[in-house]
Amino acid sequence: MSTATIAAPRTTVPTAPSPAQLKKQPPTESGEFGAMLRAWRRTRSVSQLDLSSASGVSTRHLSFMETGRAKPSRDMVLRLADELQVPLRDRNKLLVAAGYAPEFKARPLASPEMAAVRRAIDVVLTGHLPYPALMHDQHSNIIEANKTVGIFTDLVAPHLLAGGGNTVRLTLHPEGLAPHLVNHGEARDRLLRALSRRAAASGDPELTALLKECVAYPHPEPEPEPDLYAGVVLPFRFRRDGQVLTFFSCTAVFGSAADLTLADMQLETFFPADEVTGEALREYAARI
């Protein structure tokens, strides 16, 4: 259900990461440290000289690490991973490949250590009412949501909500919101473009599979949408109860996350783009 908040030119929706992109993706299995480091550096389009300057490591030593002639210290692995903005899960893989124990843990959201996080999520989701808000993971699977998210999910087939549901699938599936979307082509273009970038950058097989699945859904030919918001936002528009409801959304992440579960989570908050939608949300919240 996410929509981009900054306007951008529309181009053809990619069907999947290209072979060239796949070659640039970092390994998804633990492997030799040098090859993994080199793959991440190329994925980020960073030269050895640039990484050397940013990390304070000589280009000679960096080259030796990439070719396996030098073994990095644990601190060095973490320093290079930080400079390359490697996700926490993949930093663990780099550590294991270099012969060290993983650094980052994944605590279940229900664990006692995550109590403060659960309270923070509850405060944000509840405080955003009567507007919809949800928390999802790195695969766009919904973890938590407030009650007015039902203004979207009431319209989708129950089987799509199994396990909480996936925001991209819920939006584009023919039994999801797709039949109700006013700007289907625009919403599809933005969602698949963002998903394609994430799949190509991470090499995550689950994201790649989700992209392939969603690209195959039937859809109308995209048509130019009227620019109702002066290029400031790209709205998410759908029909419900005889009205066209229009939203834009914002996303946020937890700062300085050092836990895998927390690092994977994103908060998405929806706002009405017009008074008709605002009033519909207030009425909906009052009924449930």
Side-chain angles (χ1 to χ4, degrees), residues 139-157:
H139 299 122
S140 297
N141 297 316
I142 299 173
I143 300 169
E144 300 281 352
N146 68 12
K147 62 182 182 179
T148 51
V149 165
I151 204 163
F152 304 125
T153 58
D154 289 349
L155 301 176
V156 309

Side-chain angles (χ1 to χ4, degrees), residues 144-212:
E144 300 281 352
N146 68 12
K147 62 182 182 179
T148 51
V149 165
I151 204 163
F152 304 125
T153 58
D154 289 349
L155 301 176
V156 309
H159 71 89
L160 293 176
L161 298 173
N166 178 282
T167 60
V168 182
R169 185 179 290 114
L170 288 174
T171 303
L172 300 181
H173 195 284
E175 295 181 82
L177 284 176
H180 309 280
L181 291 176
V182 175
N183 60 335
H184 189 165
E186 186 175 52
R188 179 179 183 272
D189 179 88
R190 299 305 300 174
L191 281 172
L192 294 186
R193 187 166 306 287
L195 181 58
S196 179
R197 285 195 297 265
R198 288 160 54 203
S202 67
D204 189 317
E206 187 169 336
L207 286 177
T208 301
L210 179 64
L211 175 63
K212 183 177 180 180

Side-chain angles (χ1 to χ4, degrees), residues 65-97:
M65 284 189 287
E66 289 193 359
T67 58
R69 296 175 64 185
K71 176 180 170 63
S73 67
R74 183 184 184 85
D75 287 345
M76 178 65 70
V77 174
L78 293 173
R79 186 196 313 177
L80 295 172
D82 187 57
E83 291 296 341
L84 292 170
Q85 299 179 31
V86 176
L88 298 190
R89 291 183 185 277
D90 293 286
R91 296 187 196 198
N92 276 349
K93 293 178 182 179
L94 283 169
L95 284 166
V96 171

Side-chain angles (χ1 to χ4, degrees), residues 16-36:
S18 68
Q21 287 176 312
L22 290 172
K23 286 182 180 179
K24 290 180 66 178
Q25 289 177 15
T28 55
E29 302 292 338
S30 292
E32 194 266 328
F33 172 79
M36 295 176 73

Side-chain angles (χ1 to χ4, degrees), residues 123-141:
V123 165
V124 174
L125 296 183
T126 303
H128 198 62
L129 291 169
Y131 304 156
L134 56 85
M135 190 73 67
H136 59 77
D137 65 16
Q138 78 274 27
H139 299 122
S140 297
N141 297 316

